[in-house]
Structures are given as C-alpha cells and as structure tokens.
Amino acid sequence: MLTCRELLHLDSFRGVSVVAGHSGLDNVISWPYPKHTKVVSPWVRGGEFILVSGYEYGVNDSELIALLDEAEMNHLSGIMVEGGINFKTLSRSVTDHADQLGVPLFFASRVVSFLDICREISNAILESSLYDKYASSLLKKLVSDDSLSQKEVQLLFKEADVPSDCIYQVFLFAIIPQSIHDAPDASDYGATMLGVLNALQNACNASLNAMRIKPIVYPGASSAAYMVYGRTESDFAPILELMEHTRGQFSHSVKGSNLVLASSCITENILEIGKAYQQAFYTSSLLRGGLLAGNVYSFSDLGSYQLPFYIEDKAVLFAFRDRYLKELSENEQLLATLRAYITFGGNMLRTAEALYIHRNTLSYRIERIESILKKKLSDPEVYRDVLNALMILDIYPYGSK
C-alpha cells in the first residue's frame, strides 16, 4: 500500500511539494497515470495518481479545476502538476478548490521525468503488495531482522519445514533495464515484470520440488531471491545449472531489460543467511552497473570487488575515493586518462594507443593529473591507492547513495 503522503520520500519527488489538499494525503494510490487526454474519467478505475505536464497544449486553470472535479468524482488519489510553460506556479483558485475537495495537489517547480516517477511509484506499489502476499517468507524474515537469535532462527526453519543443519546459498534473479530509452511503456512495465517474475518463480519452484528441495523465495518488485540448501557443496552444482537454465528461458521476457543471476558464498551458519542475501544483492548491483562481464556471477568470484562489501561505514569508502578522485571527477578527460593509464599498468604506449592520442599529449595529461593529486603515479603505493579509488568509484559513482 502506497499513500500520497509517502510520495515525498521517493527519489523522483525531490523538489516536489504539496500545495493543497493536505486532508487527502492518506489516500491510497492504485497506479500512476500520466494525463494525455482532456478528460480522464473514461480511462480511470479509482485510486490513480494523475500526472499533468506543464508543457501540454491548452492546459490552464479552468482545466485543472475540471480535473480536480474529476478526481473527486472518480475517487482518484491525487494530482501532480509539472511546472513549465503553462504553470510557473498554481493559482489561488486552483489550490482553494483542491483544499475544498480534499484532493492532494502536488507541484513540481521544475521539469521532472514522468518515466522515473511512474516506475518508482509502480515499483513501490508492486513491492508493497508482494511483501504483503509473502509476509511469512522465511528468507524475508532472515534478511529483514538481523537481531534474531539462533533459537529464533531454528524455530523459523522448523515452522517452514526446512532443515537447519545443512549448508546454504542464496541465488537472486534481477530484471535490469538496459537503458531508459529501451524501457517499455511505464504504465505496463511493472505489470510485465510481475508477470515474468511469477512465471520464473513457478518454473524454479517446480524444478526445485522435483529435486526434493523446498523453494524459499523472497520476491521484490524487480527481483526474486532463492535460498537453497544441501549437505555438501557438490549438491549446489545441479541447482546452479537449474538456475542458469531458468535465466536463459526468461532472459528475453521483458523488452528493453536484461535478466541477471547473482549468487552468494555458501554458508553453514543459519545466522549468516541474511548476509548471504546481501552478497547476492551486492553482486547483482555490480551486474546492474555493468562492472561484471556476462549475466551470471557469484560473490565468491568478485575478487577485490568483495572488499567494499565488508566495509559497513560507506563514508570511509567515499572519503578514500574523494581523496584521489574528487577534483579529477570534474574533468572527464583527465579522469578517463587516469583510468586508462591504470588499466594498462602504467604503460604509456598502450595507454596513448587506447586513447588515440600522441604520447606527448599523454605525458602532458599525466603531469596535470599528478599536479592535481600532488603525488607521483610512478610511486607503487600511489598507484595501488588510485587503483582502489577507481574501483570504489566504479561501485559508488558520484551522485549514488
């Protein structure tokens, strides 16, 4: 369940404010609906959150007032108006009418992405409904509550009829949009993902049941995690084969998106299963960022990319990254040059060839980089630190959380 009040916590609603209709902020949103016709009544079913473009031809105060009347009549959850050529602000007559009807009225003083808003609202709605449906999921409880004692976890395993004396691994399927331009219509995207994930889960569940393994699933809006178990590590080989086969079956099911499979290390400690899920999720995020080759990857194969995972205080990572790259990040050319120089092990000839520049030009850029860093890249310790800083930048680029 997602309410209008909760919209302000979404990333896509930064800079958006509630200007009227505060009494209706607890209205439940059924789905986002970008307005594309003069009237919306024929196309809504109740609970929709209406998005109005500030660049739509002919939209004015009288049309907004009529839209508020439609919202009240059709029990819509609220309206957001985007600032643009039509609206630098909303008039008193519009906000007073919204207050009178109790229809939440949001205003974005800048251009906003309706695609991002629709996707984030849709994901939040789907996630909420899925979480409610699978509230008794064992894996969800292990992931969401790290304060559980050994005895409490053993009781959860017993209730779920899952052995607590095995070894365990978490696999996570994630649907990742390849690019914002290739993504399907936002109004259909969430429903399509849900359908694919449901079909994928049905296929996995049937296969795991045939292997006499009780499937423990933790579904999200765009992912599905499985906790599997066995007596020896060799028991996981056919499970991995099954998961890879299933990924292949559904890899082209969501247009403009990619289906990846990430897995955790194997653990024998039932109290570490929540961490195993985090390992799989972390690996999927690296796949999402294009930092890993292919569509299937295990946390155990990440090499040095594992290190940031174990540092709980991300501020430590950011400080290390910024010490070397903050100033350089403002110059894309120098940052790209540094990355190429490190990639080719400090080999000037190969770096110059990769950048399609003369070696003298590269030497000049390296001098500028060293001037900014106030350090020599020929120093092995500096080289190592810059390599690690670039790795952190790959995982946590500027602007990420």
Side-chain angles (χ1 to χ4, degrees), residues 64-184:
L64 282 184
I65 290 173
L67 181 60
L68 285 165
D69 288 334
E70 281 194 279
E72 195 270 338
M73 178 179 65
N74 291 286
H75 307 290
L76 305 183
S77 55
I79 298 171
M80 191 206 76
V81 179
E82 174 193 40
I85 58 174
N86 294 328
F87 306 104
K88 302 302 180 185
T89 185
L90 296 182
S91 69
R92 183 68 179 270
S93 61
V94 172
T95 57
D96 283 351
H97 198 60
D99 282 332
Q100 180 184 353
L101 298 177
V103 176
L105 184 61
F106 294 71
F107 182 70
S109 58
R110 57 179 177 83
V111 177
V112 294
S113 169
F114 280 13
L115 177 62
D116 289 345
I117 289 174
C118 287
R119 183 174 294 160
E120 196 167 13
I121 291 177
S122 302
N123 283 350
I125 292 170
L126 289 169
E127 210 164 40
S128 177
S129 62
L130 282 168
Y131 285 177
D132 290 341
K133 181 178 180 180
Y134 293 93
S136 61
S137 166
L138 170 61
L139 183 53
K140 178 187 175 183
K141 292 176 181 177
L142 297 175
V143 170
S144 59
D145 190 352
D146 58 5
S147 66
L148 293 171
S149 67
Q150 179 92 11
K151 186 175 181 179
E152 288 172 325
V153 172
Q154 287 176 333
L155 181 60
L156 288 173
F157 271 71
K158 184 177 180 180
E159 290 174 347
D161 194 26
V162 176
S164 60
D165 57 349
C166 291
I167 55 176
Y168 308 89
Q169 188 173 19
V170 173
F171 291 88
L172 186 141
F173 294 97
I175 297 177
I176 299 174
Q178 293 173 346
S179 76
I180 193 170
H181 303 292
D182 294 333

